[in-house]
Each structure stands twice: as C-alpha cells, then as structure tokens.
Amino acid sequence: MIKTSSSSSNRALTRSPIPTHTHDSASTSKTSSISSPSFNGEGSSDSFSPNSNGNGNFIRKHKTSLDFICSPSDLTQSTSPKPRESSSTPKTSPSYMSPKPSSPPLSTPTITESLITSTGQKGKGSTMNGKSGLECLPRELLALVAYHLLTERGEEKDDEEIYGIHPSNLLPLLFTSKSIYEAICFDNNPQLYNTLFRVTFDIKALDRRYQWMKNHLHKNSSGKGKGKKVFDLFADPRSWAIDYKIRWEQSFRMRQVAKQCRIEIPDICDKEAYVADLWNVWFLLTENDNKNIKFLHSQCDLRGFILAFYKENLLKESLVPGYPRDTGDKALAVWCCLLAGIDDLGEDTPADVDEKIFMLRPYVFACAKYDTHYAPWHYRKLPFCPPDCVEHETDASIRLKAMTYKRFGYTWKRAPPHFVLGIYLVFFRLLERQPDRVGLKAGSSSFHFSPFEAGLPSLFSGSKLVPSIEHDREWQRNIMSQDPHTSPGLPPTSFSGMLKGFWRGKFLFYDFDLYRQILAGNMRGVYTGTFAEQAAEFELHETIVKLPKEKIGGEGPLLAAGFKDEFDEDGSQQIAIKEGYGFEICDENEEVQEGWTKEILISGRARTSWGWAKIRGRIRSWDGLVILEMTYSRHVMGRWIWRGYLHTGGYMVGRWRDTFTAENLRGYEGAFGMIRAGDPLYPDHFPKRMEDSLGVNVNVPRGQGGHSQHGQGGHSQQGQSSQNQHSSSSTTAQASSSSSAVANSHSISGTGAQGSPKESRSPEQ
C-alpha cells in the first residue's frame, strides 16, 4: 500500500510507501496493536471493551434490565422512530474520505453513579432531569449496548461466525433520542465502528501484513537499521471505522449492480465506483479467513457483481475491431473470480461457452501483444536506479501497471496481479470443463491415469478458499515491485522453498507457420486457428547461494538462464548447481555482508511427450520471476526457456519461449500452467512424486481434453521411451525447419523493446 500525493511526482509515489498522517488526532494518539479487538485505546478515557467492565472481568450471565430495554427483538418492531428532542438535528456525517479528528473524551460518571441516576434513589421511575435512564448512561456503555445489539443477532444463528450483521439495525437505537444519537454516531464514536469492523471482518492478515510493511519499508539504503519514521496507520480508530462504513456502502452498490447486471446505474454506481469496489473485493478475498467470504456471498452477491463486468466489459470489447486491451480493472476482476472459485460464470449454454472461448483466445495466443512481467524478463539486476536517485529517465518501452486506490481514508498505489496470467488459468480450467467445445489439434498429450482414477477431478479443476497467509507473497510483490526504475523489490529469499518438489501442468502452442502469420498481423488465426495441448511434469530442486551483487542473474547467456552455454550431457551441470555453481551455499536466514546478496538456483528434470529434459534456472528476487532452461538435446530447437510467476494455491503460470530468437525480439511463445504437488489446489488423487507418476500419453483424440485410458505408461516402459524419442526427433526437425520463418517475421512485426537485434547463438558456439 503506497500512499500518493497530488503534489508529488510519479517517482515519489513509489518511493514513499508510508503516508504522512493528515488527521489532527494522529500526532497525539498512541500506537496500538492492529489485532486488538477491544474498544479502548491506551490512555483514552472514553474507551470501552465489549467483554469487560473496566477491570477486565465483565462476564454476562443473564439478561439485565438494560438488556431487556435494548432487546433486539423489541427494536425490530419499531417503525421509523424519530429523535425525542425537537431541537436541532444531528450534524451530517462528513465524507468518509475526509475524516475529522476524534472528539475529546467526555467527562462521564462511573457505572455505579449512572445506574443510580437512571433508576432514581427513591424509586421515582426511569427519568431524571427530563432524560430517560438509557440517555443517562455514559457514552462507553451506550456503545456497548450498540455493539451487542448487532453481534448478539449474529450469535443467535446456530452459533455461526459473527458476520454480515447490517449496521442499519442500529437505527432504532440511534433514533431513540438526540443525545443517544450524538453519543454513538459515526462522527463522535469511531471506536464503536472500529470494533464492529474487527468483529465483522477478518483482520489477521491486516495485522500480519502491516507489521511486515513496517519491517521492510522503513530501512535505510543498506537494508539495516531504521530509515524513515514509522507511521502508525491504525493508531487512530477512525481508520478502521472508515473502512467499515465503506464496505457496507459497497455491499449495497454490488447488490444493485448484480440485480440490474450493468455497471452504470444513475446515483448508485459508475465505472470509477465499480473499480474501487473491485479493489475492496480483492482485499476481502486475499484477507479472507472465513468471515470475509461470507460477507461477500451473503451481503454483496459477488457472482452477479462480477458477471455484470464480464458482460459489460469483456464480452463487449471482444466485438470491437482490433485486439482488446489489458487493463487493471480486468486484472482485478479475473483474479477475484479465480480466488472466489466463480470463474465458470458465462457458461450457461453451449453458445455462451463458445462466446467465452472467443473472448479469451486473443489474450491466450497473441503473446506478442500482452506483457506478463513486472519488469522485462531479460533484465537481471533491478531496480535500475540507486536508492538515492532523485531524477531518472523513464524507459518508454516499459509500461507501468500500478494503480491508485483508496483505503483507510488515504490514497495508495499498488500493481494488481497480471491480467493475462489470470486468463491463462481461466482458459486451462475451461478446457477441462468444456473439452467438447474446444477442438484440440491432433498430437496433443495428457497424463496417463489408472482405471481407478476415471471420473475424478482434472488437474486444474480444484477450487478452494485458501487461508490469507497463502496470499501474503502476492501482496508483498504487488507493493514492492511496481516500478523497475525505483521500487526496491522483494527480499532475496522471499520464494525460498516454494519451487522445490514435483509439478504437473500443461502448455499450449500453435504450429510455427500459424504463429508466424499471427506475428505478421493475421488476427483471424488468433480466433480460428487450432492449437495443441501438452502435458508436462517437473521435478525441481533449490539451492540458495550468496554472491556479490554485481553477479546476480548469472554471467552466461539469458537464453541459458544465465548459466554457461554448455550442454549437460553427463549431468555435470546439475551437480554443479546443487553444489552452489562456484558460490558458497548458505541458509535462508543467514546474514550476508555489505555488497553481497543471495540468489535461488534451480536444477531438476522434466518429462513431456517429447521425452526427458534437464532443467536449470534461477529466481529473479526483485519480483520472484522464475526462469527455467529446459534442454531436450544439443540442437538449438531442443532447448526452451520457461518464464513465469508463482501464485497463490501452488500455481506457476507464464510462457515458454524458443531460444533460437534473440531475447530482445518477439520469439515463438505460448502459455503454460503448473501446480505443485502438496499445495492447496493440487488434486489429492494425483501422484506426489515423479517416481509414482505413470507418465504422459501421446496423440490425444481430437476434442478429448480430460482423462485418457490409452497410451503408454511410466518412464520405465520401453514403449513410451521409444515413442518419446521419435516424437522428440520429429518435433525438433519441424522446429528447425520453421524457426527461420519465425525469425524472418520480425522484419514485418518489428523488433523488441530494446532496439537492434542481437546475434543468436546455438549451444555449440
């Protein structure tokens, strides 16, 4: 979360991640823990706790007269009550984005004195000086009444989690009298709404991520000690109260959008408000630990809300001439669908499915038109500018994707997850749900399954709500890797342990001739061309090394993932990587000296229908980009580069690419998606090790994308080995004969972002 200022430059937006508090009350408020559920701020005389009597020992065992007076069942029968006093009406609530400082603490009597006053010492009834007994209660007790008025209604529902209790249930109490209204209204009692936020929504992720931000964004250029003064965002209870109000206002808009299935609704919603709601939905999903998702489904109609965007934006734009745009609101919408498990919307009829496939095709197959990186993949050292940079020239070829949004009463900046990578996952899942609607090209392959696995879920069919802690790395990347010029990037070992293990996945490709035509501008091929789907299995190992900062990213060719351009015929390269590749192996938590850093090296093997391949690679620590070189043979077209990102749930998504074309040109590319065994979204019935896998099948029948009972078995079977060797040889021959056409097409489609082409070398050179 990066706060922006209207007077600051673009660079300042990303270099000053913690805002300067503009509220008057911030300078005097003390630091308080985010996760504290109590109403009372330290040192505040008008504070209260919903479960204590001031001594921390309040335990409610039975209904008192106060409970009876404020019984929710009685209040629900009142119809539009009005304030009892006819004096001036309460002041209007200020805009939720311009909160005022909290009112000074009121001088209130003790609880005993209040009760004596309210009941009368001589049994004179319930009034004193023209006020009812309820009005005479101190403000903290009135807030406690309001708190239980909402939360007890939630507890009445079979002891479910307290969620979705609409604050409109407070209206009868608020309209009882003017004095009660002024005591518990939003302006005068932000502590009440602060605590209602904590009991209604999940806050563990907020607490955890805010502490991480304080620890990693407030260090000096050396990464040690304290840098800028830490700003305590949540010291003022109004910050939480503002978001409580925003989320309930949002729930009404979302229901109206879902009901009318359109975004532009006069006096209710427009595009700007819709995008703001998308941000809030994304935060609710990535911070979900059970309460948030109930709020979204019960109070917001999340599915209908996203369906309106799908019809109003994605489908309509697919009918406009030219390639559709890649925008931040699309990225938020598609990732919200995936995280909530509702990416199957728009598939009610076969015609709807065909329409959806038509809409998705350009994002999946027109790789040259859409970027999938936070910074170009061929940059090894990031950021470009030193920490003390004041001015720098912006690379016009680099498109920044950071967006501004409002939260907790401030404006922030963040880069949403990549839209196209989310589309890849949506497309892979669609292929498994609707195999008959997508005609796969002959030559596709799938995993071999035993008869006992027939009818079980496919690889990408999993849809689970994962705990909020699983989203933390994505949250960190979105804030730390916004701008390759100035953003500091992630710590070097942020993704340590996230890549090692057994992976299963699939990759898509067009044949060379058709892809060359697409590069030359043939859009028809994007929408009508047939494609093949191949199954793949990886077994990967990680090695953490410490090295000088100037050697990060390797010293070899980028098309060899930074390693020496040598063919690993005897396995020596694999052994060298596991031993540190000339650098000292270190532990994840080991400190390094000034001028040094850490890097994660990768080694392993892969299996596809083309045969066995050796893998070596590394993780670019700045944004967690995984770069893998997969080598089948000594031929240049027997070697491929896979580049992708690790995402929540165990996904690794990105693009494979040929190594014949120079890295700064548009090469032959396609989408891939992998899932690691043991992670939340990996099917339980799938093998957990390479040794347990039965391998992959070849030549899946046209239109068959699901489980197949035919083909050869595991890697130990000679039949598959011979078939794979033949497939690999024929594919390599086809690739070498067609790769020149791909390279020559650059004269039509233009060069890459870095200008003049570089000389391409084969592994033997």
Side-chain angles (χ1 to χ4, degrees), residues 207 213 278 288 295 316 321 348 438 462 464 470 651 665 699:
D207 191 357
M213 186 171 65
L278 279 176
N288 174 61
F295 170 78
K316 285 186 177 180
D348 298 332
V438 182
K464 297 179 182 178
E470 297 286 339
Y651 287 127
L665 299 178
N699 296 326

Side-chain angles (χ1 to χ4, degrees), residues 115-164:
L115 293 176
I116 291 175
T117 303
S118 64
T119 58
Q121 297 185 17
K122 297 183 179 180
K124 292 183 178 180
S126 60
T127 62
M128 182 65 69
N129 297 327
K131 291 187 177 182
S132 67
L134 191 60
E135 291 175 294
C136 295
L137 290 176
R139 186 169 67 172
E140 59 267 24
L141 284 185
L142 285 172
L144 186 60
V145 170
Y147 169 84
H148 284 289
L149 183 62
L150 291 186
T151 59
E152 286 185 0
R153 292 190 174 198
E155 292 170 346
E156 291 173 0
K157 297 182 179 180
D158 301 327
D159 295 328
E160 293 181 357
E161 292 276 357
I162 301 173
Y163 75 98

Side-chain angles (χ1 to χ4, degrees), residues 387-570:
D388 55 350
C389 174
V390 178
E391 294 184 8
H392 64 271
E393 293 184 2
T394 303
D395 190 340
S397 65
I398 299 176
R399 178 179 165 230
L400 304 181
K401 298 186 177 182
M403 301 172 61
T404 57
Y405 62 95
K406 294 180 179 179
R407 200 176 189 200
F408 299 117
Y410 296 93
T411 300
W412 309 87
K413 195 173 184 181
R414 174 181 295 275
H418 281 93
F419 167 62
V420 173
L421 297 183
I423 287 292
Y424 287 171
L425 292 177
V426 170
F427 195 74
F428 279 119
R429 289 167 58 84
L430 176 62
L431 290 180
E432 292 184 346
R433 287 194 304 268
Q434 307 287 345
D436 296 332
R437 307 304 304 177
V438 182
L440 296 179
K441 188 176 181 180
S444 298
S445 67
S446 68
F447 300 107
H448 180 76
F449 298 95
S450 67
F452 302 101
E453 296 177 289
L456 292 177
S458 301
L459 181 63
F460 291 97
S461 61
S463 181
K464 297 179 182 178
L465 293 171
V466 299
S468 63
I469 195 170
E470 297 286 339
H471 299 279
D472 282 3
R473 287 182 178 83
E474 183 63 38
W475 183 91
Q476 294 164 10
R477 173 162 53 200
N478 299 154
I479 193 173
M480 301 291 283
S481 307
Q482 300 179 22
D483 186 350
H485 298 91
T486 57
S487 294
L490 294 166
T493 57
S494 293
F495 290 91
S496 174
M498 301 300 296
L499 203 61
K500 64 181 179 182
F502 175 62
W503 295 77
R504 267 194 166 188
K506 299 177 181 179
F507 61 99
L508 308 174
F509 62 91
Y510 275 3
D511 62 53
F512 283 93
D513 290 336
L514 182 56
Y515 193 84
R516 176 182 59 82
Q517 295 174 19
I518 293 174
L519 283 179
N522 179 14
M523 288 188 61
R524 183 179 178 84
V526 174
Y527 289 99
T528 62
T530 58
F531 60 92
E533 179 186 69
Q534 291 279 352
E537 296 178 327
F538 291 173
E539 187 178 58
L540 304 177
H541 307 276
E542 295 180 8
T543 305
I544 302 177
V545 298
K546 55 182 179 181
L547 70 171
K549 289 184 176 180
E550 59 270 15
K551 293 187 177 182
I552 193 170
E555 299 177 304
L558 285 169
L559 295 175
F563 295 99
K564 296 178 181 178
D565 198 0
E566 298 176 357
F567 179 64
D568 187 15
E569 189 170 3
D570 56 357

Side-chain angles (χ1 to χ4, degrees), residues 15 221 373-387 395 398 400 477 480-492 549-554 558 597-599 619-627 645 754:
R15 297 288 293 182
S221 58
H373 306 103
Y374 291 92
W377 71 275
H378 47 269
Y379 286 107
R380 311 179 195 226
K381 301 177 182 65
L382 295 166
F384 303 146
C385 303
D395 190 340
I398 299 176
L400 304 181
R477 173 162 53 200
M480 301 291 283
S481 307
Q482 300 179 22
D483 186 350
H485 298 91
T486 57
S487 294
L490 294 166
K549 289 184 176 180
E550 59 270 15
K551 293 187 177 182
I552 193 170
L558 285 169
T597 186
K598 299 177 185 177
E599 189 172 29
I619 298 179
R620 186 172 69 181
S621 61
W622 184 80
D623 59 347
L625 176 65
V626 179
I627 304 176
Y645 289 100
Q754 300 307 308

Side-chain angles (χ1 to χ4, degrees), residues 84 131 209 241 243 265 272 409 520 533 554 573 674 676 685:
R84 296 177 57 181
K131 291 187 177 182
R209 295 170 188 176
D243 252 33
I265 304 176
E272 182 179 356
E533 179 186 69
Q573 287 283 306
M674 308 288 292
R676 186 173 68 162
H685 63 279

Side-chain angles (χ1 to χ4, degrees), residues 257-277:
V257 168
K259 181 179 180 180
Q260 303 187 32
C261 200
R262 59 192 181 98
I263 295 175
E264 299 284 346
I265 304 176
D267 301 325
I268 295 178
C269 186
D270 55 20
K271 185 175 181 181
E272 182 179 356
Y274 190 92
V275 175
D277 290 344

